């Protein structure tokens, strides 16, 4: 019986430790290089509404969602909205090519470790695209919102 209890406790601790960050929690820090090699910290965007967009150039659903993210960014960037795109491409050249192709004129970061990236385990990402919408204090407001629901949340946070 003791052994079973210890196994259950170990399972619960493992589950809690690997849980995805939740709405209402502070977003975990991200520190990754941009295309110029400069390290960008998520915390440097405090005071802005931020959409973290996890993606990769080889991901079909990611490529389909990018135009709407670009459109949303262009519409609200002057009001304090920022997008931080975090790519898990293992080939830097493909990442750079996709950023240019889609005219992703917002902050784009790369972790070339792919699914082994620290940021993937920190956010417990199981599939991409995956998004986190943060308020001006860096707290998570919405997870995986898209379309009208995402735009409504962005406009509400910018007020």
């Amino acid at each position: 019986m003791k052994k079973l209890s210890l196994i259950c406790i170990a399972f619960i601790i493992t589950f809690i430790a690997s849980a995805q960050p939740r709405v209402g929690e502070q977003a975990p820090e991200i520190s990754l290089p941009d295309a110029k090699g400069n390290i960008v910290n998520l915390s440097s965007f405090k005071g802005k509404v931020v959409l973290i967009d996890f993606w990769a150039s080889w991901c079909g659903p990611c490529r389909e969602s990018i135009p709407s993210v670009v459109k949303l960014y262009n519409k609200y960037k002057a009001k304090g909205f920022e997008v931080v795109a975090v790519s898990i491409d293992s080939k830097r050249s493909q990442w750079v090519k996709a950023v240019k192709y889609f005219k992703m004129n917002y902050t784009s970061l790369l972790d070339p470790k792919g699914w082994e990236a620290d940021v993937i385990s920190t956010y417990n990402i199981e599939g991409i695209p995956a998004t986190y919408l943060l308020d001006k204090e860096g707290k998570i407001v919405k997870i995986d919102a898209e379309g009208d629901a995402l735009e409504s949340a962005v406009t509400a946070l910018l007020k």
Side-chain angles (χ1 to χ4, degrees):
M1 189 66 160
K2 264 187 173 179
K3 192 174 185 178
L4 182 60
S5 295
L6 289 175
I7 291 171
C8 288
I9 290 170
F11 176 76
I12 291 168
I13 290 171
T14 301
F15 177 77
I16 291 170
S18 67
Q20 183 180 48
R22 293 180 178 94
V23 170
E25 294 179 351
Q26 193 72 25
E29 182 65 278
I30 297 173
S31 296
L32 290 169
D34 63 13
K36 295 179 183 176
N38 300 315
I39 299 297
V40 177
N41 298 311
L42 178 62
S43 58
S44 69
F45 296 99
K46 195 168 185 176
K48 293 188 173 196
V49 173
V50 177
L51 179 68
I52 306 170
D53 184 12
F54 293 95
W55 73 290
S57 66
W58 46 261
C59 167
C62 300
R63 294 176 72 89
E64 289 176 15
S65 71
I66 291 171
S68 63
V69 174
V70 170
K71 183 178 177 182
L72 188 67
Y73 174 71
N74 288 333
K75 187 172 180 179
Y76 294 105
K77 66 182 176 183
K79 296 180 180 181
F81 177 59
E82 185 63 48
V83 175
V84 177
V86 179
S87 173
I88 60 168
D89 276 285
S90 57
K91 294 182 181 175
R92 185 181 189 285
S93 60
Q94 290 184 339
W95 166 62
V96 169
K97 185 178 176 182
V99 168
K100 287 180 183 176
Y101 176 81
F102 287 107
K103 297 180 174 89
M104 297 167 67
N105 57 339
Y106 40 78
T107 303
S108 295
L109 309 176
L110 174 67
D111 194 324
K113 295 177 189 171
W115 286 109
E116 303 302 317
D118 291 340
V119 72
I120 292 298
S121 61
T122 299
Y123 279 80
N124 198 26
I125 303 294
E126 294 179 358
I128 54 175
T131 61
Y132 288 79
L133 182 62
L134 313 181
D135 67 13
K136 294 178 182 180
E137 297 302 314
K139 289 188 179 173
I140 300 168
V141 176
K142 294 241 181 237
I143 299 172
D144 292 332
E146 56 188 352
D148 292 339
L150 175 59
E151 185 167 0
S152 293
V154 168
T155 57
L157 290 169
L158 290 172
K159 290 182 181 178

